[in-house]
């Protein structure tokens, strides 16, 4: 009898600890317990030190309850940590079951509002919250009143959002009408409406990369450079992740082997430190630099006339 009572209490506790709010009728239906029994257990949980949160007629157990904090102290994430993990997961082009499970697990532990409304205004937070849910559940949504600075139009866009970019200020989507993958500024949508329709163009979603120099695109090109001590040091300071892409050579220089979405960013770095950098086995990039240098020389010559 005691074992059965404990099982019921534990089952109720698990339901209340999820990232949802449930009414007493919901809890009664899912546990098979009477409303009276559930009210009695809710009072017992309070007496045990749990934070029983009530919102109207719905209940949940607060995650800051002392018991929860004690048993989860080694695996519990702070809000900032949860937000960071959420941003990393949503910036990765990976819809494998493992990644989807991680996204679902994070969403089950932390409110969408917490994950979306972090350091941004309410309008963007509402849009981001809906887009995040659409991406997580693989559903379509409407970007209502989206303002395009390129065309000057304001209209609705039917999209399948799948990657968040630039610190969650942009979202990569498949636009159904044009059948193209595009990047949308989340702030430019007046509102976002979640639709009860599943993605139907998942195979047409393309990866979208951001390189070491903060340029983005669907394609990448390999560049290899031999860096002297000065250029290697400055690269580490400006782009800390470059450390993982550099290897020390026998002559004391560093080989940078990286993938870039555009030559513009890495060209700026190379031209600024040209006397300390050697282009290594990358003829396409060398031709690009030669063309840029020729253009610059022509501009200088024109100014002297």
């Amino acid at each position: 009898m005691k074992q059965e009572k404990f099982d019921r209490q534990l089952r109720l506790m698990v339901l209340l600890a999820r990232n949802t709010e449930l009414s007493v009728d919901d809890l009664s239906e899912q546990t098979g317990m009477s409303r009276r029994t559930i009210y009695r257990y809710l009072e017992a949980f309070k007496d045990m030190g749990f934070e029983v949160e009530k919102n109207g007629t719905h209940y949940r157990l607060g995650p800051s309850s002392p018991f929860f904090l004690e048993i989860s102290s080694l695996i519990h994430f702070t809000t900032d940590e949860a937000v960071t993990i959420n941003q990393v997961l949503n910036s990765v082009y990976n819809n494998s079951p493992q990644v989807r499970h991680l996204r679902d697990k994070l969403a089950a532990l932390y409110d969408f509002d917490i994950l979306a409304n972090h350091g941004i205004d309410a309008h963007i937070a509402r849009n981001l919250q809906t887009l995040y849910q659409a991406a997580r559940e693989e559903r379509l949504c409407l970007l209502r009143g989206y303002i395009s600075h390129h065309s000057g139009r304001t209209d609705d866009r039917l999209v399948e959002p799948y990657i968040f970019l630039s610190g969650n200020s942009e979202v990569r989507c498949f636009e159904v009408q044009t059948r193209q993958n595009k990047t949308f500024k989340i702030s430019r949508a007046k509102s976002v409406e979640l639709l009860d329709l599943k993605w139907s163009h998942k195979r047409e979603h393309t990866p979208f990369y951001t390189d070491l120099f903060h340029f983005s695109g669907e394609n990448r090109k390999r560049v290899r450079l031999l860096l002297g001590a000065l250029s290697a040091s400055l690269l580490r300071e400006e782009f800390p992740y470059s450390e993982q892409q550099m290897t020390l050579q026998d002559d004391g220089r560093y080989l940078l082997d990286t993938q870039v979405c555009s030559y513009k960013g890495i060209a700026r770095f190379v031209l600024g430190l040209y006397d300390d950098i050697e282009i290594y086995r990358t003829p396409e990039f060398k031709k690009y630099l030669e063309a840029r240098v020729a253009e610059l020389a022509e501009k200088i010559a024109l100014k002297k006339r």
Side-chain angles (χ1 to χ4, degrees):
M1 187 68 178
K2 288 183 179 180
Q3 179 66 38
E4 182 182 347
K5 180 179 179 181
F6 177 75
D7 287 345
R8 288 189 299 172
Q9 289 176 330
L10 188 58
R11 200 159 63 246
L12 179 61
M13 190 179 296
V14 168
L15 286 172
L16 290 167
R18 292 176 178 171
N19 187 33
T20 54
E21 294 179 346
L22 298 169
S23 67
V24 172
D25 288 335
D26 294 330
L27 294 168
S28 176
E29 181 180 346
Q30 294 186 44
T31 61
M33 291 186 281
S34 67
R35 290 166 52 88
R36 182 178 178 182
T37 299
I38 289 171
Y39 279 123
R40 187 170 71 249
Y41 284 156
L42 288 174
E43 290 302 317
F45 291 160
K46 291 180 185 177
D47 293 340
M48 285 186 271
F50 289 96
E51 290 186 2
V52 179
E53 299 178 356
K54 183 180 180 183
N55 182 13
T57 59
H58 291 69
Y59 294 85
R60 63 171 287 185
L61 288 180
S64 58
S65 297
F67 177 75
F68 286 161
L69 294 180
E70 183 178 347
I71 64 173
S72 64
S73 59
L74 295 178
I75 59 173
H76 175 74
F77 296 119
T78 66
T79 297
D80 286 343
E81 289 169 339
V83 168
T84 299
I85 294 170
N86 182 64
Q87 289 175 341
V88 170
L89 287 175
N90 285 323
S91 65
V92 172
Y93 183 76
N94 187 332
N95 280 315
S96 67
Q98 294 87 349
V99 172
R100 287 203 303 272
H101 175 70
L102 284 173
R103 289 177 180 139
D104 290 342
K105 195 168 185 179
L106 194 66
L109 294 172
Y110 298 91
D111 290 337
F112 284 128
D113 289 333
I114 292 176
L115 298 177
N117 193 14
H118 190 76
I120 50 180
D121 65 40
H123 164 242
I124 299 176
R126 284 192 298 269
N127 287 353
L128 180 57
Q129 177 181 344
T130 306
L131 287 163
Y132 172 72
Q133 185 175 356
R136 189 174 67 89
E137 298 175 3
E138 298 190 356
R139 291 163 63 182
L140 277 81
C141 59
L142 269 177
L143 304 181
R144 293 283 191 186
Y146 186 80
I147 302 171
S148 173
H149 287 187
H150 178 69
S151 65
R153 294 185 305 152
T154 299
D155 50 17
D156 297 342
R157 309 290 187 95
L158 180 63
V159 299
E160 299 177 356
Y162 61 93
I163 301 177
F164 293 91
L165 308 167
S166 305
N168 286 350
S169 65
E170 298 176 336
V171 60
R172 189 72 174 169
C173 303
F174 178 85
E175 187 177 39
V176 176
Q177 183 178 3
T178 61
R179 298 185 69 87
Q180 293 180 344
N181 292 286
K182 298 181 178 180
T183 301
F184 295 92
K185 288 278 189 182
I186 294 174
S187 61
R188 293 183 189 168
K190 185 176 181 181
S191 63
V192 180
E193 179 183 345
L194 184 65
L195 304 179
D196 194 19
L197 296 169
K198 287 288 188 178
W199 290 351
S200 56
H201 303 88
K202 187 173 180 179
R203 291 185 178 180
E204 297 177 63
H205 298 181
T206 56
F208 197 72
Y209 307 102
T210 299
D211 65 25
L212 192 62
F213 301 89
H214 305 311
F215 280 79
S216 300
E218 294 182 0
N219 301 304
R220 293 182 295 179
K221 295 166 280 194
R222 186 183 186 186
V223 175
R224 287 180 287 180
L225 305 173
L226 285 169
L227 310 177
L230 175 62
S231 54
S233 176
L234 291 175
L235 185 65
R236 288 194 200 94
E237 290 177 8
E238 191 172 357
F239 306 104
Y241 289 117
S242 63
E243 180 74 40
Q244 302 169 14
Q245 301 176 35
M246 290 194 292
T247 54
L248 182 62
Q249 304 299 292
D250 292 339
D251 62 0
R253 292 186 295 176
Y254 288 85
L255 175 64
L256 172 68
D257 192 341
T258 189
Q259 300 275 345
V260 299
C261 300
S262 169
Y263 285 145
K264 289 183 178 180
I266 195 166
R268 177 183 65 86
F269 175 76
V270 172
L271 291 174
L273 295 159
Y274 68 91
D275 56 344
D276 196 50
I277 299 175
E278 178 187 339
I279 301 168
Y280 180 72
R281 294 182 180 178
T282 316
E284 297 84 1
F285 180 53
K286 192 171 185 178
K287 289 179 182 178
Y288 175 86
L289 282 179
E290 289 172 349
R292 298 289 79 77
V293 170
E295 288 176 4
L296 179 60
E298 186 177 349
K299 285 183 179 180
I300 294 174
L302 288 173
K303 286 185 178 180
K304 288 182 176 179
R305 292 175 187 173

